[in-house]
Amino acid sequence: MGERVEKARELVGRPLALAEKILYSHLWDGTPTQSFTRGKDYVDFAPDRVACQDATAQMALLQFMHAGKPKVAVPTTVHCDHLIQAKVGAEADLKRANETSNEVFDFLESVSNKYGIGFWKPGAGIIHQVVLENYAFPGGMMIGTDSHTVNAGGLGMVAIGVGGADAVDVMAGMAWELKFPKLIGVKLTGRLSGWTAPKDVILKVADILTVKGGTGAIIEYFGEGATSMSCTGKGTICNMGAEVGATTSTFGYDESMDRYLRATDRADVADAALEVKEHLTADPEVYANPEKYFDQVIEIDLDTLEPHLNGPFTPDLATPISKMSEAAKENDWPLNVEVGLIGSCTNSSYEDISRAASLAQQVSDKNLKTKSDFTITPGSEQVRYTIERDGFIETFNNIGATVFANACGPCIGMWDRYGDKAANGPRNTIVHSFNRNFAKRADGNPNTLAFVGSPELVTAIAIAGRLDFNPVTDKLINEDGEEVMLDEPRGYELPPEGFAVEDAGYLAPEEDGSGVEVVVSPTSERLQLLEPFEPIKPESLKGMKLLIKAFGKCTTDHISMAGPWLRYRGHLDNIANNTLIGAVNAYNKKTNFVKNQLTGEYGGVPDTQREYKKAAIKTIVVGDHNYGEGSSREHAAMQPRHLGVAAVLVKSFARIHETNLKKQGMLALTFANESDYDLIQEDDTFNFVDIEDFAPEKPLTLEAEHADGSKDTIIVNHSYNDAQISWFKEGSALNLIKKENA
Ligand code: MIC
Ligand code: SF4
């Protein structure tokens, strides 16, 4: 690493930030030979590891099976966490998941075994927590098929969320391409104390940057406030960097990381890191004069930072807790909090749980009664086992908590809160320490307002039962009718008696997996082998129809909803039946109700699109800013592709989704002139007039023919390079890999 960093410093001709050191020391070609322009140059990288979770691994591995390789080229793991529904509690829920999803778990286990992939069984924990505990290491680079892979930045990595097709590149031993990111520096002055937690740092950053402000950038945190914070707290901040669209976030190596590595049984990694520690943080000049080296600098003073709640429906709508009373009144947010949920991949460290437990303990100490329901989803079996040993689970049980399985559960709609009545559920408020709060995300109910806060604040609010409870200033009335205040949360950075676990839930693959058979039943409704996509022919890009013009926020949850649909993640044709059903039609403001131009009738998006497909007519999807925000799920690209959508034209894209569209051989385009979005009409027919000249940095021309015979010419931009244009021409990136390996 040292040699490569020195070479990079020489080529770039100035001191380097940590992110640059990691990027330049992971070039596919080895030692750097040129300096790259941030935000412009596409660069080939060689990540050290890959991680996949069950909901995305199915598609990733189905694609990998086509790559023609006997084994994965870099260490890879699969984690079963998303497919476990939270309903009653850990034990029963896990049992049910093992019954209902055994076909998928068996598939993932056998593919892992065959191709040399480490397998983490259902119940072992959530991918990002397990990665932080076992695999993340300072100065490393990894990719993962989940947007919150960025969590590993807490241990000083550059860890990036990608679609499955990107993971296939790396697993197949090929380079992984990324546009060299821009750099945002966040200087943390002061220190966290009292009620303020690491979560509040990222809630504040989300307020400043908004859901798209980090797009194309790596956020690097530094300053006294960074080094004085725990490693797992850093993980939380990096985790939620996905919510501002950042490529990833990271922190320089410090003693908190050393402590965490040693506590998680990796003294060897800590020792190795110490030997190269000057390369595991930025050059001193960079943090001394950040404005000179970063594209943007943000400063946050932790001494004055207040606890925040972000939401509802978007993670960047930040309200400091002291302003919540006013904000809730103004917006008519229900003040009664029905459920407080802590845990998830974002916030389930020993520190988080112990601090939350110190509040739960005060319920009995001060003779209070917890007003809201309360749930905990531990991030890993190791954390769960340790907090149980240390009595915290009992403390939570005493306030009537439900402990869900070590899995995603309520964070991704796998929360059976309303049975089959979710769609028309009542208007209500919940608070959680997860990361996303898009409509319907937790419980499928469009009328649930979810607010994101630290586990400490969520616990305090659940005790009080009110959204506007400010534990810093407000009193509670206890069961004796006395006024009491909650003491500030207290906890432990790491378990004083060390971590412990009986069965962490890991299965190592066989040394030689060539004999392992992978079976996919042709009649399965959960799994379906993939058929290669046919290239989109230039002729078919004339006479296209509009499928939907999406209005406002259109996240991957709107394009390919999770929750009940997670069960079809391995079956492209079945999951395609949810395509864009959450997107709001700009012409009637309804969801899943679009005009079929062939019949003039209105119907659901997937059905309408299947009609176009039958008639061999390609379609186009139009959208607003940050289209495809959120998840890494490539289903959001593969489903429209499978159904015959050829182009997605928007004001701007979220990074992973844009790449996913390109990888699947589609056209991902942006309006050169944003206001042209308004020119698109419901009955339009589209012609790409110069697609034959598709070339890097050359805009394309789209003609929109309106029903009255008039026409508009719309100039559209794209960010394809030569290689990506060949994905389009071959039908998909995978088709190209297959051709090259044939
Ligand atoms: C999420 O948090 O949205 C998910 C579910 O973890 C997704 C992955 C998926 O859709 O399977 C993500 O963040 O990438
Ligand atoms: Fe799972 Fe939620 Fe984390 Fe996504 S954000 S990995 S759904 S816990």
Side-chain angles (χ1 to χ4, degrees):
M1 187 172 188
E3 210 184 291
R4 292 180 179 191
V5 168
E6 252 157 58
K7 190 76 205 161
R9 198 183 287 116
E10 192 185 302
L11 288 163
V12 179
R14 56 163 172 75
L16 298 176
L18 168 63
E20 292 172 304
K21 293 185 185 181
I22 301 178
L23 293 170
Y24 276 105
S25 58
H26 285 84
L27 298 177
W28 177 251
D29 293 330
T31 307
T33 53
Q34 70 176 103
S35 151
F36 297 105
T37 307
R38 305 198 299 225
K40 183 162 180 287
D41 291 337
Y42 279 106
V43 179
D44 281 345
F45 291 101
D48 302 308
R49 306 193 61 90
V50 176
C52 305
Q53 42 87 340
D54 51 2
T56 50
Q58 299 171 60
M59 226 25 117
L61 296 177
L62 284 165
Q63 292 176 82
F64 180 72
M65 286 161 65
H66 279 290
K69 301 283 174 181
K71 241 183 173 21
V72 286
V74 302
T76 300
T77 48
V78 163
H79 303 257
C80 297
D81 51 5
H82 283 63
L83 298 179
I84 302 163
Q85 195 182 44
K87 186 171 182 181
V88 196
E91 207 178 311
D93 292 349
L94 195 56
K95 188 162 169 281
R96 198 159 20 88
N98 272 317
E99 284 159 15
T100 51
S101 290
N102 66 338
E103 181 187 2
V104 173
F105 295 143
D106 286 352
F107 167 75
L108 293 174
E109 187 181 321
S110 60
V111 180
S112 298
N113 203 7
K114 184 171 182 69
Y115 294 108
I117 299 171
F119 182 73
W120 289 82
K121 294 186 277 192
I126 309 175
I127 174 169
H128 313 302
Q129 181 63 29
V130 174
V131 165
L132 194 72
E133 284 172 9
N134 295 277
Y135 301 124
F137 65 96
M141 176 190 268
M142 70 176 286
I143 58 166
T145 61
D146 189 284
S147 65
H148 294 108
T149 303
V150 293
N151 188 68
L155 254 178
M157 269 196 131
V158 159
I160 302 180
V162 297
D166 281 50
V168 171
D169 291 347
V170 179
M171 292 190 287
M174 301 176 351
W176 175 66
E177 185 193 67
L178 178 76
K179 193 178 269 185
F180 204 88
K182 294 193 172 197
L183 296 182
I184 299 176
V186 179
K187 181 172 184 181
L188 302 178
T189 61
R191 273 167 175 261
L192 290 173
S193 65
W195 284 94
T196 310
K199 183 78 155 202
D200 298 304
V201 174
I202 185 62
L203 295 178
K204 181 72 199 166
V205 169
D207 177 34
I208 297 169
L209 284 177
T210 78
V211 288
K212 61 183 195 331
T215 308
I218 295 186
I219 306 182
E220 186 167 326
Y221 291 85
F222 58 96
E224 185 205 356
T227 46
S228 59
M229 188 186 291
S230 66
C231 170
T232 50
K234 294 178 170 84
T236 295
I237 294 176
C238 293
N239 179 303
M240 261 195 87
E243 273 51 69
V244 296
T247 301
T248 190
S249 308
T250 196
F251 282 82
Y253 191 63
D254 64 25
E255 283 167 16
S256 72
M257 297 187 194
D258 185 273
R259 291 193 293 275
Y260 186 74
L261 283 170
R262 291 179 199 281
T264 48
D265 211 13
R266 288 175 290 169
D268 51 343
V269 180
D271 291 339
L274 280 179
E275 275 173 38
V276 292
K277 75 172 196 289
E278 79 268 28
H279 304 311
L280 301 177
T281 189
D283 292 336
E285 297 87 334
V286 174
Y287 293 161
N289 282 303
E291 286 78 12
K292 263 177 82 177
Y293 302 98
F294 290 99
D295 296 289
Q296 181 182 355
V297 178
I298 293 171
E299 193 168 322
I300 299 177
D301 178 6
L302 303 193
D303 287 335
T304 55
L305 181 67
E306 255 197 81
H308 279 66
L309 281 176
N310 285 23
F313 305 123
T314 184
D316 58 354
L317 182 60
T319 308
I321 191 66
S322 64
K323 303 265 159 33
M324 184 47 97
S325 181
E326 234 171 280
K329 220 173 279 151
E330 240 167 62
N331 295 287
D332 195 25
W333 296 330
L335 284 179
N336 181 43
V337 171
E338 301 219 348
V339 194
L341 308 98
I342 65 165
S344 91
C345 69
T346 329
N347 270 106
S348 57
S349 64
Y350 190 85
E351 180 175 52
D352 289 334
I353 302 290
S354 61
R355 281 171 63 87
S358 77
L359 300 170
Q361 180 59 41
Q362 295 176 44
V363 172
S364 60
D365 292 353
K366 301 190 181 197
N367 200 20
L368 286 157
K369 197 164 172 248
T370 307
K371 300 281 176 5
S372 311
D373 287 343
F374 191 68
T375 77
I376 304 140
T377 41
S380 73
E381 176 56 13
Q382 173 161 283
V383 161
R384 194 210 59 78
Y385 188 94
T386 309
I387 60 171
E388 178 164 55
R389 179 201 64 193
D390 294 350
F392 299 138
I393 299 257
E394 198 187 325
T395 311
F396 290 124
N397 282 340
N398 290 341
I399 66 163
T402 306
V403 182
F404 288 142
N406 312 317
C408 299
C411 177
I412 188 54
M414 292 297 268
W415 182 20
D416 190 358
R417 192 177 172 205
Y418 295 107
D420 55 6
K421 307 215 163 39
N424 299 310
R427 189 152 193 272
N428 78 105
T429 295
I430 62 172
V431 286
H432 64 59
S433 72
F434 312 157
N435 41 34
R436 295 199 170 131
N437 54 356
F438 306 139
K440 301 195 222 176
R441 179 167 169 105
D443 57 10
N445 174 3
N447 303 314
T448 293
L449 287 74
F451 293 83
V452 182
S454 69
E456 296 89 323
L457 189 62
V458 167
T459 309
I461 288 181
I463 293 170
R466 283 180 66 94
L467 184 65
D468 59 351
F469 174 65
N470 179 359
V472 185
T473 52
D474 295 354
K475 298 198 173 72
L476 294 168
I477 308 287
N478 73 5
E479 295 299 282
D480 305 321
E482 298 160 352
E483 284 193 334
V484 292
M485 280 191 80
L486 291 175
D487 303 328
E488 287 176 356
R490 285 176 178 279
Y492 302 89
E493 180 186 272
L494 293 162
E497 289 173 41
F499 282 109
V501 68
E502 251 166 28
D503 174 9
Y506 177 69
L507 272 184
E510 278 176 38
E511 219 16 77
D512 175 8
S514 57
V516 177
E517 237 198 291
V518 176
V519 214
V520 172
S521 154
T523 55
S524 170
E525 59 153 15
R526 302 284 302 264
L527 295 164
Q528 181 186 41
L529 293 173
L530 290 172
E531 293 288 331
F533 290 129
E534 291 284 324
I536 295 170
K537 298 191 191 68
E539 317 79 86
S540 67
L541 296 176
K542 304 226 160 72
M544 298 167 73
K545 300 290 179 193
L546 177 74
L547 175 60
I548 183 171
K549 174 162 145 179
F551 171 79
K553 208 174 185 66
C554 192
T555 73
T556 41
D557 282 356
H558 298 79
I559 306 170
S560 172
M561 194 193 170
W565 291 92
L566 282 173
R567 59 185 282 106
Y568 298 121
R569 283 289 185 87
H571 196 295
L572 185 55
D573 194 51
N574 282 347
I575 197 163
N577 290 329
N578 83 358
T579 305
L580 284 155
I581 60 175
V584 177
N585 180 351
Y587 303 107
N588 55 24
K589 304 291 184 297
K590 290 188 180 161
T591 53
N592 205 23
F593 199 64
V594 292
K595 184 165 183 180
N596 177 340
Q597 290 193 43
L598 305 176
T599 60
E601 315 256 299
Y602 283 80
V605 183
D607 292 344
T608 307
Q609 178 56 36
R610 284 189 196 271
E611 293 296 315
Y612 288 126
K613 186 176 184 175
K614 238 187 259 157
I617 293 175
K618 290 283 175 207
T619 57
I620 179 163
V621 169
V622 172
D624 207 308
H625 274 298
N626 211 24
Y627 182 89
E629 160 188 357
S631 163
S632 66
R633 61 191 77 142
E634 64 198 320
H635 304 76
M638 292 178 92
Q639 296 171 211
R641 174 72 166 106
H642 170 69
L643 293 180
V645 177
V648 179
L649 170 60
V650 298
K651 292 185 189 168
S652 64
F653 280 110
R655 174 188 60 88
I656 308 178
H657 186 62
E658 181 179 17
T659 309
N660 286 345
L661 290 168
K662 291 178 178 177
K663 286 250 152 163
Q664 302 303 337
M666 294 176 77
L667 290 174
L669 308 167
T670 51
F671 290 101
N673 185 354
E674 266 174 32
S675 59
D676 286 358
Y677 171 92
D678 302 325
L679 296 177
I680 310 283
Q681 295 174 21
E682 197 172 20
D683 292 304
D684 283 355
T685 299
F686 299 94
N687 308 306
F688 280 95
V689 295
D690 54 2
I691 189 69
E692 270 85 2
D693 309 329
F694 193 13
E697 289 176 50
K698 187 176 173 295
L700 291 168
T701 313
L702 179 67
E703 198 178 72
E705 284 174 32
H706 309 303
D708 64 3
S710 65
K711 280 184 189 172
D712 277 303
T713 298
I714 295 171
I715 303 299
V716 300
N717 290 335
H718 69 80
S719 62
Y720 288 70
N721 60 19
D722 280 319
Q724 295 169 346
I725 291 177
S726 52
W727 301 342
F728 172 73
K729 291 192 170 151
E730 292 298 328
S732 71
L734 188 61
N735 287 353
L736 194 65
I737 300 183
K738 268 169 57 185
K739 196 162 151 189
E740 283 166 0
N741 282 333

